[in-house]
Amino acid sequence: MEGGDVEGIVIAGAGLAGLATALGLHRKGVRSLVLESSATLRASGFAFTTWTNAFRALDALGVGDKIREHHLLYERLVTFSASTGEAAAKVSLKMQGKSGPHEIRCVKRNFLLETLENELPEGTIRYSSKIVSIEEEDELKLLHLADGSTIRAKALIGCDGVNSVVAKWLGLPKPILSGRSATRGLAEYPAGHGFGPEILQFIGQGFRSGVLPCSDTSVYWNYTWYPSPDDEDADESVAKMRSYVMARLRAAKIPAEALDVIERSEMSDVVSSPLRFRSPLALVRGSISKGNVCVAGDAFHPMTPELGQGGCAALEDGVVLARCLSEAFVGGGGAGHETVKAALEKYAEERRWRGIRLITAAYVVGFIQQSSNPVIKFLREKLLSGLLAKTLVTMADYDCGKL
């Protein structure tokens, strides 16, 4: 593409939002080009909680049942106090939401990404293609890539993560450090793990941890905390981080079977990562779309993980964006600048406040769950555990609609 070919829709990033948008457009008969900066699909994070709203989006994309076949359906969310080691709240997940029954599973990220990729026409994703700068060229966007090539786009969709080049071009401020960090892993049990169909969550003493079976033979875990000088050299290696996490959890009287998950798990070479979020005020005042450019997924609404809604919201974005854009491009003749602009404005209007609510709720829930303040700790353990658990379910009771 040395000569600067003209593409209809260019999507920056082959993560959940990017692939969901591309597949949604494909289902509507609209071609797109996905530019992925890495050489292969990136499955960082191992797995993520896939709530009811995400499965509605996956069903709209036509891949919901393929994901269900390989992942356990949860029946309960059990929250333990890290101070006592006892169950503080049990919330049934077998309940009816406003739009139908709830459905929560923990889905392996690489399985979902590969499923979405396999549904796309060959050549949709161009790997090792990183956008380094964006220029205006009449009504097109001129994209400069790291390899020196250029592409002209009638529409540019930024799904390029928390360090988004597209979000920067739109003028959105950088995500804010939350003061918390996270680490995670995935354990395999070839003969079966013995966990029931439930999410185990441990909160208090400055950390939050979860143990979530993905299938009959694999279990995902995560751990978020407020780093301090007392952590010493935990970040230096996987072995040291594993030892640090297990020491903290043993002190909190976490059940032995949960500790075994961490002990035997595979962990990322990126030992831990700071948790960042975009200020809700930035989304109230800022531009999610401008002309023929918009953002989705973490490029739009990076949030802390307490609701388990980051990936779910990215899938919602993909469905809504594909629905809006396909109306502009349907018929195969392309679309004019004003038509594309109107489609992206419609998307932004529908998604702005959903993103703001999720970011805000995730931050507040995380603060309450991990606070060491004596008053908040008392309220959390005596009054708020059940309410916080129900908040997770309530925020998932959302339907992004059909394509």
Side-chain angles (χ1 to χ4, degrees):
M1 298 188 178
E2 296 292 331
D5 293 357
V6 176
E7 295 284 346
I9 301 171
V10 173
I11 300 169
L16 293 177
L19 294 186
T21 302
L23 180 54
L25 289 167
H26 173 60
R27 298 291 195 223
K28 300 292 285 186
V30 179
R31 179 185 178 278
S32 63
L33 174 66
V34 181
L35 302 179
E36 169 54 42
S37 61
S38 64
T40 60
L41 284 179
R42 291 181 292 176
S44 59
F46 293 107
F48 73 103
T49 312
T50 310
W51 293 81
T52 311
N53 53 315
F55 273 102
R56 290 172 182 155
L58 291 169
D59 284 336
L61 295 171
V63 296
D65 287 341
K66 293 183 179 181
I67 306 303
R68 291 183 180 95
E69 289 173 8
H70 297 273
H71 298 87
L72 293 175
L73 176 65
Y74 295 132
E75 296 179 4
R76 291 175 298 279
L77 170 61
V78 184
T79 301
F80 292 82
S81 166
S83 300
T84 65
E86 297 178 354
K90 294 183 179 181
V91 176
S92 172
L93 300 177
K94 298 171 67 176
M95 61 179 73
Q96 287 287 124
K98 291 183 292 185
S99 304
H102 279 287
E103 179 177 12
I104 303 96
R105 305 169 196 260
C106 186
V107 173
K108 291 184 178 180
R109 187 175 291 269
N110 62 345
F111 183 88
L112 177 52
L113 290 174
E114 289 167 4
T115 299
L116 295 172
E117 179 190 34
N118 290 339
E119 295 289 315
L120 291 169
E122 187 175 351
T124 299
I125 306 173
R126 178 180 164 186
Y127 291 102
S128 300
S129 300
K130 178 179 176 58
I131 298 174
V132 293
S133 65
I134 304 165
E135 290 186 76
E136 302 267 11
E137 189 178 85
D138 298 324
E139 294 184 343
L140 302 175
K141 292 296 174 286
L142 179 62
L143 313 178
H144 294 270
L145 277 57
D147 63 4
S149 63
T150 58
I151 298 175
R152 291 171 173 82
K154 294 181 180 179
L156 173 61
I157 314 301
C159 302
D160 46 343
V162 292
N163 297 312
S164 171
V165 173
V166 181
K168 181 179 179 181
W169 186 89
L170 286 171
L172 289 172
K174 290 182 178 180
I176 302 167
L177 288 170
S178 69
R180 303 195 292 273
S181 290
T183 188
R184 53 189 69 85
L186 185 73
E188 297 292 347
Y189 293 77
H193 48 64
F195 286 96
E198 58 190 18
I199 301 171
L200 304 180
Q201 181 174 246
F202 310 95
I203 62 174
Q205 296 191 6
F207 73 81
R208 181 185 68 89
S209 183
V211 173
L212 303 91
C214 294
S215 66
D216 292 331
T217 58
S218 61
V219 183
Y220 168 71
W221 65 271
N222 56 57
Y223 179 88
T224 65
W225 79 106
Y226 286 97
S228 74
D230 295 336
D231 298 345
E232 297 178 344
D233 56 359
D235 272 337
E236 287 186 1
S237 70
V238 167
K240 289 182 177 181
M241 178 56 70
R242 192 192 310 274
S243 296
Y244 169 76
V245 172
M246 291 191 65
R248 291 289 304 274
L249 294 180
R250 281 197 186 99
K253 304 174 185 176
I254 299 303
E257 58 268 27
L259 292 174
D260 180 69
V261 172
I262 298 167
E263 192 164 26
R264 69 160 65 204
S265 66
E266 173 192 355
M267 293 176 64
S268 171
D269 291 336
V270 180
V271 177
S272 69
S273 54
L275 298 177
R276 292 177 285 176
F277 66 100
R278 177 156 281 131
S279 165
L281 288 177
L283 294 183
V284 172
R285 299 188 294 239
S287 297
I288 299 168
S289 73
K290 185 188 299 182
N292 54 354
V293 179
C294 77
V295 284
D298 281 348
F300 165 21
H301 45 58
M303 64 188 76
T304 54
E306 288 76 18
L307 296 181
Q309 280 292 333
C312 302
L315 294 171
E316 292 176 8
D317 290 343
V319 171
V320 176
L321 189 47
R323 181 170 64 235
C324 294
L325 263 182
S326 64
E327 293 173 359
F329 280 83
V330 73
H337 179 78
E338 291 302 317
T339 306
V340 173
K341 177 183 176 183
L344 296 184
E345 287 175 347
K346 182 179 180 182
Y347 156 78
E349 181 180 357
E350 182 168 344
R351 297 302 297 165
R352 184 187 303 273
W353 286 101
R354 172 69 170 164
I356 290 169
R357 284 191 291 270
L358 288 173
I359 292 171
T360 304
Y363 184 85
V364 171
V365 168
F367 175 79
I368 294 172
Q369 285 182 338
Q370 295 181 229
S371 176
S372 297
N373 180 281
V375 175
I376 294 177
K377 178 181 175 182
F378 173 81
L379 292 173
R380 179 180 66 226
E381 296 186 358
K382 301 298 182 183
L383 301 173
L384 298 178
S385 291
L387 179 61
L388 291 175
K390 289 178 181 177
T391 298
L392 306 184
V393 179
T394 300
M395 296 303 291
D397 193 11
Y398 180 88
D399 191 346
C400 63
K402 307 298 182 184
L403 287 171

